[in-house]
Short mmCIF file of all heavy atoms in Angstrom, two decimals:
data_model
loop_
_atom_site.label_atom_id
_atom_site.label_comp_id
_atom_site.label_asym_id
_atom_site.label_seq_id
_atom_site.Cartn_x
_atom_site.Cartn_y
_atom_site.Cartn_z
N GLU Y 40 -207.42 -112.99 76.62
CA GLU Y 40 -207.48 -113.56 75.29
C GLU Y 40 -207.79 -112.48 74.26
O GLU Y 40 -208.38 -111.44 74.58
CB GLU Y 40 -208.54 -114.65 75.22
CG GLU Y 40 -208.23 -115.88 76.07
CD GLU Y 40 -207.01 -116.63 75.57
OE1 GLU Y 40 -206.81 -116.66 74.35
OE2 GLU Y 40 -206.26 -117.15 76.42
N LEU Y 41 -207.41 -112.77 73.01
CA LEU Y 41 -207.66 -111.83 71.95
C LEU Y 41 -209.15 -111.59 71.81
O LEU Y 41 -209.96 -112.48 72.00
CB LEU Y 41 -207.09 -112.35 70.63
CG LEU Y 41 -207.18 -111.41 69.42
CD1 LEU Y 41 -206.37 -110.16 69.65
CD2 LEU Y 41 -206.71 -112.14 68.17
N ALA Y 42 -209.52 -110.39 71.45
CA ALA Y 42 -210.92 -110.04 71.29
C ALA Y 42 -211.58 -110.89 70.23
O ALA Y 42 -210.93 -111.54 69.41
CB ALA Y 42 -211.03 -108.56 70.91
N ALA Y 43 -212.88 -110.84 70.23
CA ALA Y 43 -213.69 -111.59 69.26
C ALA Y 43 -213.43 -113.08 69.39
O ALA Y 43 -212.98 -113.74 68.48
CB ALA Y 43 -213.43 -111.12 67.84
N PRO Y 46 -214.87 -116.06 66.54
CA PRO Y 46 -214.61 -115.51 65.20
C PRO Y 46 -215.25 -116.37 64.12
O PRO Y 46 -215.69 -117.49 64.36
CB PRO Y 46 -213.09 -115.59 65.10
CG PRO Y 46 -212.75 -116.81 65.90
CD PRO Y 46 -213.76 -116.88 67.02
N ARG Y 70 -212.80 -111.33 62.13
CA ARG Y 70 -211.39 -111.72 61.98
C ARG Y 70 -210.59 -111.03 63.07
O ARG Y 70 -210.23 -109.86 62.95
CB ARG Y 70 -210.86 -111.32 60.60
CG ARG Y 70 -211.54 -111.97 59.43
CD ARG Y 70 -211.19 -113.44 59.32
NE ARG Y 70 -209.78 -113.64 59.12
CZ ARG Y 70 -209.18 -113.63 57.93
NH1 ARG Y 70 -209.89 -113.41 56.84
NH2 ARG Y 70 -207.90 -113.84 57.82
N PRO Y 71 -210.34 -111.67 64.18
CA PRO Y 71 -209.58 -111.02 65.26
C PRO Y 71 -208.18 -110.65 64.81
O PRO Y 71 -207.56 -111.35 64.01
CB PRO Y 71 -209.57 -112.07 66.37
CG PRO Y 71 -209.79 -113.37 65.67
CD PRO Y 71 -210.67 -113.07 64.50
N VAL Y 72 -207.68 -109.55 65.35
CA VAL Y 72 -206.36 -109.07 64.97
C VAL Y 72 -205.75 -108.34 66.15
O VAL Y 72 -206.43 -107.62 66.89
CB VAL Y 72 -206.44 -108.14 63.73
CG1 VAL Y 72 -207.29 -106.92 64.00
CG2 VAL Y 72 -205.05 -107.75 63.25
N ARG Y 73 -204.49 -108.55 66.39
CA ARG Y 73 -203.77 -107.84 67.44
C ARG Y 73 -203.54 -106.39 67.04
O ARG Y 73 -203.38 -106.07 65.85
CB ARG Y 73 -202.42 -108.51 67.70
CG ARG Y 73 -202.51 -109.88 68.37
CD ARG Y 73 -202.96 -109.75 69.80
NE ARG Y 73 -202.92 -111.03 70.50
CZ ARG Y 73 -203.42 -111.22 71.70
NH1 ARG Y 73 -204.02 -110.22 72.33
NH2 ARG Y 73 -203.36 -112.40 72.27
N ASP Y 76 -200.63 -105.67 64.93
CA ASP Y 76 -200.67 -106.09 63.53
C ASP Y 76 -201.52 -105.16 62.66
O ASP Y 76 -201.71 -105.44 61.47
CB ASP Y 76 -201.22 -107.52 63.43
CG ASP Y 76 -200.31 -108.53 64.10
OD1 ASP Y 76 -199.08 -108.33 64.06
OD2 ASP Y 76 -200.82 -109.52 64.66
N ARG Y 191 -202.98 -104.28 57.82
CA ARG Y 191 -201.61 -103.77 57.78
C ARG Y 191 -201.17 -103.39 56.37
O ARG Y 191 -200.12 -102.78 56.18
CB ARG Y 191 -200.64 -104.80 58.35
CG ARG Y 191 -200.57 -106.10 57.59
CD ARG Y 191 -199.48 -107.01 58.17
NE ARG Y 191 -199.48 -108.32 57.55
CZ ARG Y 191 -200.13 -109.36 58.04
NH1 ARG Y 191 -200.82 -109.22 59.15
NH2 ARG Y 191 -200.10 -110.53 57.43
N ARG Y 292 -211.55 -124.05 66.93
CA ARG Y 292 -210.18 -123.60 67.17
C ARG Y 292 -209.61 -122.71 66.08
O ARG Y 292 -208.86 -121.79 66.38
CB ARG Y 292 -209.27 -124.83 67.34
CG ARG Y 292 -209.67 -125.70 68.51
CD ARG Y 292 -208.71 -126.85 68.66
NE ARG Y 292 -207.35 -126.41 68.83
CZ ARG Y 292 -206.30 -127.22 68.90
NH1 ARG Y 292 -206.48 -128.52 68.80
NH2 ARG Y 292 -205.09 -126.75 69.04
N ALA Y 293 -209.91 -122.98 64.83
CA ALA Y 293 -209.23 -122.28 63.74
C ALA Y 293 -210.07 -121.12 63.22
O ALA Y 293 -211.28 -121.23 63.05
CB ALA Y 293 -208.92 -123.24 62.61
N THR Y 294 -209.41 -119.98 62.99
CA THR Y 294 -210.08 -118.84 62.37
C THR Y 294 -209.61 -118.63 60.95
O THR Y 294 -210.27 -117.96 60.17
CB THR Y 294 -209.81 -117.56 63.18
OG1 THR Y 294 -208.40 -117.32 63.22
CG2 THR Y 294 -210.33 -117.71 64.60
N SER Y 295 -208.48 -119.20 60.62
CA SER Y 295 -207.95 -119.10 59.27
C SER Y 295 -207.42 -120.47 58.87
O SER Y 295 -206.57 -121.03 59.56
CB SER Y 295 -206.83 -118.06 59.19
OG SER Y 295 -206.22 -118.07 57.92
N GLU Y 499 -202.23 -124.93 56.41
CA GLU Y 499 -202.00 -124.16 57.62
C GLU Y 499 -203.34 -123.88 58.29
O GLU Y 499 -204.35 -123.71 57.61
CB GLU Y 499 -201.31 -122.81 57.32
CG GLU Y 499 -199.93 -122.92 56.72
CD GLU Y 499 -199.36 -121.54 56.38
OE1 GLU Y 499 -200.10 -120.55 56.57
OE2 GLU Y 499 -198.22 -121.47 55.96
N ALA Y 500 -203.32 -123.82 59.60
CA ALA Y 500 -204.51 -123.43 60.36
C ALA Y 500 -204.04 -122.57 61.53
O ALA Y 500 -203.07 -122.92 62.21
CB ALA Y 500 -205.26 -124.65 60.85
N HIS Y 501 -204.72 -121.45 61.74
CA HIS Y 501 -204.34 -120.52 62.81
C HIS Y 501 -205.51 -120.27 63.74
O HIS Y 501 -206.66 -120.15 63.29
CB HIS Y 501 -203.85 -119.19 62.24
CG HIS Y 501 -202.54 -119.31 61.51
ND1 HIS Y 501 -202.47 -119.67 60.18
CD2 HIS Y 501 -201.26 -119.15 61.93
CE1 HIS Y 501 -201.19 -119.69 59.80
NE2 HIS Y 501 -200.44 -119.40 60.85
N ALA Y 502 -205.21 -120.20 65.03
CA ALA Y 502 -206.22 -119.89 66.02
C ALA Y 502 -206.48 -118.40 66.04
O ALA Y 502 -205.81 -117.61 65.34
CB ALA Y 502 -205.75 -120.38 67.39
N ALA Y 503 -207.44 -117.98 66.86
CA ALA Y 503 -207.79 -116.56 66.95
C ALA Y 503 -206.60 -115.72 67.41
O ALA Y 503 -206.49 -114.54 67.09
CB ALA Y 503 -208.97 -116.36 67.88
N THR Y 504 -205.72 -116.34 68.18
CA THR Y 504 -204.54 -115.62 68.66
C THR Y 504 -203.47 -115.46 67.59
O THR Y 504 -202.47 -114.78 67.81
CB THR Y 504 -203.93 -116.38 69.84
OG1 THR Y 504 -203.57 -117.69 69.40
CG2 THR Y 504 -204.93 -116.48 70.99
N GLY Y 505 -203.68 -116.09 66.45
CA GLY Y 505 -202.66 -116.08 65.41
C GLY Y 505 -201.70 -117.23 65.53
O GLY Y 505 -200.83 -117.44 64.68
N GLU Y 506 -201.84 -118.02 66.59
CA GLU Y 506 -200.95 -119.15 66.82
C GLU Y 506 -201.24 -120.26 65.81
O GLU Y 506 -202.39 -120.64 65.61
CB GLU Y 506 -201.16 -119.68 68.24
CG GLU Y 506 -200.35 -120.92 68.56
CD GLU Y 506 -200.72 -121.49 69.92
OE1 GLU Y 506 -201.61 -120.93 70.57
OE2 GLU Y 506 -200.12 -122.51 70.29
N PRO Y 507 -200.22 -120.79 65.15
CA PRO Y 507 -200.45 -121.90 64.22
C PRO Y 507 -200.87 -123.16 64.97
O PRO Y 507 -200.35 -123.45 66.05
CB PRO Y 507 -199.09 -122.08 63.53
CG PRO Y 507 -198.10 -121.49 64.49
CD PRO Y 507 -198.79 -120.39 65.20
N LEU Y 508 -201.82 -123.87 64.41
CA LEU Y 508 -202.29 -125.11 65.01
C LEU Y 508 -201.51 -126.29 64.46
O LEU Y 508 -201.08 -126.27 63.31
CB LEU Y 508 -203.79 -125.29 64.72
CG LEU Y 508 -204.69 -124.19 65.29
CD1 LEU Y 508 -206.11 -124.38 64.80
CD2 LEU Y 508 -204.66 -124.21 66.80
N PRO Y 509 -201.32 -127.32 65.25
CA PRO Y 509 -200.53 -128.47 64.78
C PRO Y 509 -201.23 -129.21 63.65
O PRO Y 509 -202.45 -129.33 63.62
CB PRO Y 509 -200.41 -129.35 66.03
CG PRO Y 509 -201.58 -128.96 66.88
CD PRO Y 509 -201.81 -127.50 66.63
#
Side-chain angles (χ1 to χ4, degrees):
E40 294 295 325
L41 185 63
R70 298 289 299 273
V72 61
R73 290 290 186 189
D76 296 326
R191 62 175 174 266
R292 299 182 58 184
T294 60
S295 173
E499 297 177 357
H501 292 85
T504 60
E506 176 187 1
L508 298 173

